[in-house]
Amino acid sequence: MEEYSMRLKISFIVSFIALPIVFMVTLMYQNSSFGLFEGFSKGMAIGGMNQKNFTIGVPNVTANNEFGLRSLDNFEGRNKSAVKIKSSKSIPLTNSTSTPSKEINDDEKDKLLDGLLVSGFDEASCISRSQSHFYHKPSPHKPSPYLISKLRKYEELHRKCGPNTRAYNKDMKIIANSKNNSKKSAATTCKYIIWLPANGLGNQIISMASSFLYALLTDRVLVVQFGKDKEGLFCEPFLNSTWLLPENSSFWDAQNVVTYQSMEMTNTSNEYLPSAMYVDLKYSPTNDERFFHCDHNQFLLSKIPLLFLEAGQYFVPSFFMTPIFKDELNKMFPEITSIFHHLGRYLFHPANEAWELITSFYQQHLAKANERVGLQIRVVNPYSTPHQVVMNQILNCTLENKLLPKVRGTKNMSVSSSDKNKTIKKFVLVTSLFQQYGKNLTNMYQNKSTVTGEVIEVYQPSSEKEQKFGDNKHNLKAWVEMYLLSLSDVLVTTYQSTFGYVAKALGNSIPWILYNPVHNTNKEICEREFTLEPCYHYPPLHYCDDGKVIQDVASSFHNIRHCKDFPFGLKLVNTSV
Ligand code: GDP
């Protein structure tokens, strides 16, 4: 009897105390994101915008505010199968003939973007990762099996040597201790890149993607230096690890690190390689040459455990100029024009705070449209490029190319409700630092009927007036708007703007480019872009072997051409079509 009561006690302890503890510990382990966004998602619901003290500044240019905030239950995005989705665990009803297991597999395949993403993440810590496929059109560009295998291997490497791991801590100590001793580079378990931010958010995103590809090509671990200005923007991209440089890292400051430019790379013997080096790929008027694209420099850089990389540019085309990278690149990207599309969708998932703003705005203002037209209007200097000139250019571009309808007379207000339901609705998302553009378009379509009978509504989420640096809310708005633009069916972007490059690549949308209306008087007002790839604005200038100036890019480098929107720059193109 006593033995029986003892057993009873033990089973009580196991079931009511030990099991829940084991369960909790398992959950905590799975949920640990080690990062900036840890814990943010707890208890957060999509659509709860008023819980936040930040709301994106919508309405003063909004033509029509007829849609209230809609929950995902009523969501009618691109993918009608998402209508019934309440939580990311629900299975969307694809069509009546499909079997449940097929639905699960299809949903999983869509969610993981054809294998680009890995499963196993805690969905609540990054809601966008499991929901973005309801908003973006399915991509016709499939990641190659080789790219997928490289990503899975990279994730393993990052788990082994990412920040806060034992290997990382040990390696960083070794590097710190030998940093100033340039006699011999230190022997470490892994090698690293610390990415440093430069310029605006669009520039930073394209340079992070380039740095990540460089990490894949050179078996390095990518660590990013994010300040407070990036809180709430991006999820952690790598499973069960962080890519954030710890705040207390002695490598937060790259000053006093040997610069790549200062070294005579060609004459450097192994004996004199430092443990850390600063690689500056930024554009600067004085820095007119870089031999980063040359095999011999890559060979020497490969021996240095830690590289600080600052670029603010999309330097991926330079890898295609570097012979030692060619084979790997060809295997990873048999389709050369979707590199940033894949890297961007792999790396940049809006964190919950950003995702809440994106989905709320989308559902409130854009979901009901038959067609969404995104206009990204980047005016760097309104004094040299007056708003009226830009406005005329936008109208010429969108009306002449029938992206938006012309207007006539005054509006007929007495449309019956049945006609209203039949009317085609085009909603225009305007992003700009200046409110004039949204306001002008709103006035135009509010007061006049369109020749096609379409209803046009115009929304401009914010008008920040000027670019700000190091400002978290400002960056959040910029990221939200880049992402919203990527959800457009038709996209118009501004020449040379990396803000627009991010939107087009995430959305797989070949945009119309607005050229500089002042300098390019003999050019078209706008023209259709020909690839999703960003332009490398300030590329290498010289050949590696003889140091002579690169004259004819097309005959020297396969798949590289000058950009349409910035002819000095280079971009990857598919030359076989
Ligand atoms: P780029 O300068 O056009 O190549 O784009 P970047 O994103 O690198 O830098 C421009 C920065 O200015 C953005 O990151 C924002 O901070 C701000 N900005 C420019 N245009 C807009 C806009 O339309 N909306 C918002 N919210 N911010 C903008």
Side-chain angles (χ1 to χ4, degrees):
M1 192 63 190
E2 216 173 83
E3 195 191 329
Y4 174 74
S5 98
M6 194 60 191
R7 267 200 216 147
L8 207 67
K9 266 188 205 156
I10 290 171
S11 51
F12 176 83
I13 290 169
V14 168
S15 37
F16 288 96
I17 302 174
L19 274 180
I21 289 174
V22 170
F23 181 62
M24 290 277 290
V25 169
T26 312
L27 265 186
M28 279 163 68
Y29 175 74
Q30 284 175 350
N31 286 352
S32 60
S33 60
F34 305 91
L36 199 56
F37 314 118
E38 190 175 24
F40 176 82
S41 64
K42 308 282 183 298
M44 201 183 79
I46 291 279
M49 243 177 123
N50 45 9
Q51 291 166 3
K52 295 268 161 293
N53 52 15
F54 163 58
T55 49
I56 215 158
V58 188
N60 61 351
V61 292
T62 303
N64 187 325
N65 211 1
E66 73 188 79
F67 306 112
L69 194 63
R70 296 145 57 85
S71 77
L72 269 188
D73 292 1
N74 300 323
F75 170 57
E76 290 175 7
R78 306 180 174 282
N79 185 341
K80 294 283 189 279
S81 65
V83 171
K84 288 242 159 36
I85 289 218
K86 271 196 186 132
S87 81
S88 48
K89 292 270 187 289
S90 315
I91 302 161
L93 299 169
T94 43
N95 62 49
S96 56
T97 54
S98 58
T99 61
S101 64
K102 182 176 180 311
E103 285 158 10
I104 294 168
N105 291 339
D106 284 354
D107 184 47
E108 200 60 18
K109 195 166 148 280
D110 291 349
K111 196 156 71 181
L112 299 178
L113 309 180
D114 298 299
L116 193 66
L117 307 182
V118 69
S119 61
F121 275 89
D122 164 36
E123 291 193 355
S125 71
C126 179
I127 297 168
S128 68
R129 184 188 293 278
S130 54
Q131 289 188 347
S132 62
H133 68 290
F134 297 131
Y135 291 82
H136 276 134
K137 281 177 273 197
S139 172
H141 308 286
K142 305 296 170 210
S144 70
Y146 192 69
L147 173 62
I148 292 172
S149 76
K150 283 290 273 192
L151 293 172
R152 296 300 87 89
K153 275 198 201 126
Y154 176 81
E155 287 152 7
E156 255 173 53
L157 175 72
H158 201 100
R159 268 194 295 283
K160 178 174 145 202
C161 285
N164 304 337
T165 60
R166 194 178 294 173
Y168 171 92
N169 292 339
K170 199 168 146 225
D171 283 351
M172 289 299 145
K173 261 192 206 140
I174 295 172
I175 296 167
N177 289 339
S178 58
K179 191 171 66 174
N180 299 323
N181 170 12
S182 62
K183 287 283 175 216
K184 200 166 178 72
S185 65
T188 51
T189 308
C190 289
K191 293 197 165 72
Y192 303 86
I193 294 168
I194 295 184
W195 170 88
L196 303 174
N199 310 107
L201 193 63
N203 283 83
Q204 293 181 31
I205 289 174
I206 59 174
S207 94
M208 269 188 272
S210 310
S211 304
F212 178 59
L213 180 53
Y214 186 52
L216 288 181
L217 288 168
T218 56
D219 294 325
R220 286 176 181 272
V221 173
L222 177 68
V223 179
V224 294
Q225 194 203 74
F226 276 12
K228 298 254 177 271
D229 64 322
K230 292 208 193 52
E231 277 180 14
L233 267 68
F234 307 111
C235 297
E236 289 284 358
F238 311 124
L239 182 65
N240 288 337
S241 49
T242 181
W243 67 339
L244 302 175
L245 181 67
E247 269 182 38
N248 59 0
S249 167
S250 61
F251 291 108
W252 198 260
D253 183 2
Q255 269 174 11
N256 303 325
V257 176
V258 181
T259 64
Y260 152 76
Q261 272 78 3
S262 73
M263 288 197 65
E264 280 284 319
M265 295 298 285
T266 42
N267 298 326
T268 307
S269 73
N270 271 3
E271 280 298 298
Y272 294 97
L273 288 176
S275 297
M277 185 179 269
Y278 171 68
V279 180
D280 181 0
L281 297 181
K282 295 195 303 291
Y283 163 69
S284 110
T286 55
N287 178 11
D288 63 352
E289 185 45 84
R290 303 180 181 101
F291 285 99
F292 185 74
H293 64 298
C294 302
D295 274 0
H296 60 268
N297 277 357
Q298 284 305 327
F299 182 69
L300 288 167
L301 286 172
S302 72
K303 298 179 188 302
I304 299 172
L306 172 60
L307 300 179
F308 289 88
L309 197 50
E310 188 166 358
Q313 297 204 69
Y314 186 71
F315 54 97
V316 167
S318 79
F319 304 144
F320 286 81
M321 300 164 116
T322 316
I324 48 165
F325 293 147
K326 275 233 170 115
D327 283 350
E328 276 298 280
L329 287 167
N330 290 340
K331 283 198 273 175
M332 273 194 261
F333 301 104
E335 186 190 42
I336 202 166
T337 50
S338 52
I339 296 181
F340 182 52
H341 172 66
H342 290 314
L343 295 179
R345 284 188 176 199
Y346 175 76
L347 287 175
F348 304 111
H349 301 276
N352 288 348
E353 189 174 345
W355 188 239
E356 186 187 6
L357 294 167
I358 292 164
T359 50
S360 300
F361 192 90
Y362 185 88
Q363 288 157 37
Q364 193 172 5
H365 301 296
L366 303 174
K368 270 260 177 140
N370 299 94
E371 186 175 88
R372 283 158 281 265
V373 180
L375 296 185
Q376 185 245 344
I377 304 162
R378 177 83 167 106
V379 179
V380 176
N381 184 348
Y383 297 102
S384 56
T385 320
H387 290 312
Q388 195 50 52
V389 173
V390 180
M391 193 65 222
N392 292 343
Q393 181 193 21
I394 292 163
L395 289 179
N396 281 336
C397 174
T398 52
L399 302 182
E400 290 312 315
N401 292 298
K402 298 195 168 38
L403 312 180
L404 290 175
K406 293 182 176 164
V407 290
R408 66 163 168 229
T410 45
K411 211 166 201 165
N412 177 8
M413 296 301 186
S414 59
V415 182
S416 73
S417 60
S418 64
D419 279 352
K420 246 188 192 171
N421 289 340
K422 281 187 233 141
T423 314
I424 293 185
K425 294 178 181 135
K426 267 190 186 172
F427 291 176
V428 185
L429 171 74
V430 176
T431 72
S432 176
L433 288 173
F434 306 101
Q435 64 173 355
Q436 285 87 331
Y437 301 105
K439 265 192 173 161
N440 286 346
L441 282 170
T442 299
N443 288 341
M444 174 170 140
Y445 287 114
Q446 216 168 24
N447 302 324
K448 302 208 163 137
S449 329
T450 59
V451 292
T452 54
E454 290 163 305
V455 167
I456 307 294
E457 293 181 13
V458 182
Y459 298 98
Q460 180 169 350
S462 76
S463 51
E464 291 284 279
K465 295 189 182 68
E466 58 183 12
Q467 178 173 353
K468 296 175 192 163
F469 293 92
D471 181 324
N472 181 237
K473 283 180 184 168
H474 177 79
N475 280 346
L476 190 56
K477 290 181 195 181
W479 175 222
V480 165
E481 288 174 37
M482 282 180 221
Y483 205 94
L484 283 169
L485 282 171
S486 80
L487 305 177
S488 308
D489 302 293
V490 174
L491 188 60
V492 179
T493 58
T494 302
Y495 74 100
Q496 211 185 323
S497 173
T498 58
F499 194 107
Y501 294 167
V502 173
K504 73 169 175 174
L506 289 182
N508 180 39
S509 178
I510 303 278
W512 294 78
I513 317 171
L514 295 166
Y515 286 121
N516 183 335
V518 176
H519 295 143
N520 291 357
T521 40
N522 54 355
K523 269 220 168 179
E524 312 262 345
I525 297 283
C526 72
E527 203 179 352
R528 198 80 197 268
E529 173 57 292
F530 61 103
T531 123
L532 288 178
E533 281 293 293
C535 181
Y536 183 10
H537 289 153
Y538 296 96
L541 299 174
H542 298 93
Y543 292 108
C544 295
D545 43 5
D546 56 10
K548 287 193 179 147
V549 175
I550 298 170
Q551 294 289 357
D552 182 1
V553 171
S555 65
S556 308
F557 302 101
H558 196 52
N559 293 121
I560 296 180
R561 296 290 180 272
H562 285 288
C563 312
K564 271 193 174 184
D565 65 328
F566 189 66
F568 186 77
L570 298 180
K571 70 161 46 178
L572 295 170
V573 296
N574 190 353
T575 47
S576 59
V577 243

